[in-house]
Amino acid sequence: MVQILNKIDDVLHCPRCDLKLSRTNVVVGSGPINAKIMLIGEAPGKNEDKQGQPFVGAAGRNLNELLEEAGIDRKDVYITNIVKCRPPENRPPFDYEVEACHPYLQKQIEVIGPKGIVLLGKTAAETMLGRKVEMGKEHGTVVEKDGHRYLITYHPAAMIYKRTLKDTLVEDYKKISALLAE
Ligand code: SF4
């Protein structure tokens, strides 16, 4: 994947936005290049920045737990984020950072051609759907846009602060299999 993205730029040395100043590693994504399901989060956190891999910290452990409960093997899905570099103090990425990074994500979607895309949290959902998303009302729904099918759900980090959300998230994640079945 890095080689493919390097065709549009040298992603590992990307200078396109100021997140280049605070990153340790560019976190491109992980998973098979022919994955049927793609998961998109917000941005790398501290552990992801250190290791250069997405979802390897506390949110990653929640993600693993949710995927397992939904009967999905993490090895079968491609996981990435809206921006590939960690924002300072884990703040949400600014609009111009999202915009600067978007060509990489578009290329990933084009190359992988997933059957369904799972939007993990508000930043991912609002960026990909191009509108405001009310997570409390819209989580668990499938939306079609520009030839892609998106499942909206909470970011797995939400479970760190509110463990009671787990059952809700498990129900959402079970719909990932439905995305594949159709
Ligand atoms: S966040 Fe994206 S656009 Fe910004 S420096 Fe990193 S790879 Fe480049």
Side-chain angles (χ1 to χ4, degrees), residues 11 14-17 19-20 23 26 83-85 97 100-101 104:
V11 66
C14 177
R16 289 187 187 190
C17 81
L19 295 183
K20 67 177 185 267
R23 74 180 176 221
V26 176
V83 294
K84 314 303 185 204
C85 302
E97 294 161 349
C101 213
Y104 293 126

